[in-house]
Amino acid sequence: ICRKVSAMVEPRCRLSLVTDPRQDKPEGWTRFVCFSDTHGLHAKIPAKHMPEADVLLHAGDFTNQGEVSQVQSFAQWLRDYPAKEKVVIAGNHDLSFDEEYCRARMKKTSMCAEVKETLSGSCTYLEDEFVEVFGYRIYGSPWQPEFCDWAFNLPRGEALAKVWKKIPDSLDILMTHGPAYSILDKCQSGLNAGCEELLKAIRK
């Protein structure tokens, strides 16, 4: 949960990590509930793990491989979720949301527009975009360093640096699907899969 503080104070928000979702929200605070990598299993999330929220954030991979049926189901799940606002980005498994991937691999460029339209009305979908919700400035981006043959992959270095330059200077919440380098990014193989350029952008 977050609480806005005076604009003259840095940081602009006070944060409190809630370990028990049954805990009452203090007056004047905003509750954010975060999900990621549900991979089409959103309908199987137990109710006890779906606390009421002011803002629901989903950081991508809400499908297995961008299936339209899973996007439709996810959109309905979002509509039903007890949150006033929902903000979503895509992940590397959400293949049908990457227009270039659809064109090069799936030969179905129309699918990209279809799935994004399916989500409209159920959430605010961000793709290198910014939105303000309850006074909080949120920027979302799906890109990550090349990792197998998935969507929203870019070569390390200049290409990713160019993407992260779009992040606004004044921001409260940054949503990305992939982590910054060395921050919770270690794979089972021991590889640090996070993005060095994202880490640089955050440190600025």
Side-chain angles (χ1 to χ4, degrees):
I1 56 178
C2 296
R3 185 178 185 181
K4 279 290 190 184
V5 296
S6 169
M8 299 299 293
V9 178
E10 291 296 339
R12 296 176 62 252
C13 306
R14 291 177 182 156
L15 305 178
S16 176
L17 180 63
V18 176
T19 56
D20 183 354
R22 296 168 297 181
Q23 177 182 330
D24 291 335
K25 183 187 71 172
E27 185 177 353
W29 289 68
T30 303
R31 173 165 283 175
F32 290 83
V33 172
C34 305
F35 287 93
S36 183
D37 294 83
T38 46
H39 291 283
L41 300 176
H42 42 269
K44 296 185 178 181
I45 298 173
K48 66 180 180 180
H49 296 312
M50 296 173 57
E52 186 175 348
D54 294 302
V55 186
L56 168 68
L57 304 177
H58 196 296
D61 277 8
F62 41 84
T63 69
N64 281 323
Q65 295 184 34
E67 297 89 339
V68 174
S69 61
Q70 289 185 7
V71 178
Q72 293 169 339
S73 174
F74 179 62
Q76 187 59 53
W77 181 81
L78 287 171
R79 292 187 191 98
D80 295 339
Y81 196 96
K84 298 180 182 73
E85 298 286 344
K86 295 104 176 187
V87 181
V88 174
I89 65 170
N92 60 322
H93 277 254
D94 302 316
L95 307 181
S96 53
F97 282 75
D98 183 344
E99 187 172 351
E100 182 56 37
Y101 190 97
C102 286
R103 180 183 298 110
R105 310 290 204 290
M106 305 168 75
K107 312 300 182 185
K108 295 180 180 179
T109 54
S110 61
M111 182 182 290
C112 187
E114 178 184 351
V115 292
K116 290 179 181 179
E117 178 62 28
T118 297
L119 278 190
S120 66
S122 65
C123 67
T124 298
Y125 172 75
L126 299 179
E127 190 173 307
D128 301 320
E129 294 169 289
F130 159 89
V131 67
E132 186 167 318
V133 179
F134 297 131
Y136 293 90
R137 299 187 291 257
I138 305 172
Y139 184 85
S141 180
W143 300 100
Q144 65 176 37
E146 289 178 324
F147 187 79
C148 302
D149 189 20
W150 294 106
F152 297 107
N153 278 355
L154 287 173
R156 291 182 183 273
E158 183 178 349
L160 283 162
K162 185 176 180 180
V163 165
W164 305 132
K165 283 181 181 178
K166 299 177 184 178
I167 298 173
D169 291 332
S170 182
L171 200 63
D172 295 306
I173 298 172
L174 174 62
M175 294 177 66
T176 64
H177 181 65
Y181 183 78
S182 79
I183 300 178
L184 301 176
D185 69 336
K186 189 166 287 188
C187 301
Q188 289 182 335
S189 64
L191 170 72
N192 288 98
C195 180
E196 298 92 338
E197 300 302 328
L198 177 57
L199 182 62
K200 293 176 185 177
I202 292 171
R203 286 178 170 171
K204 286 183 180 179

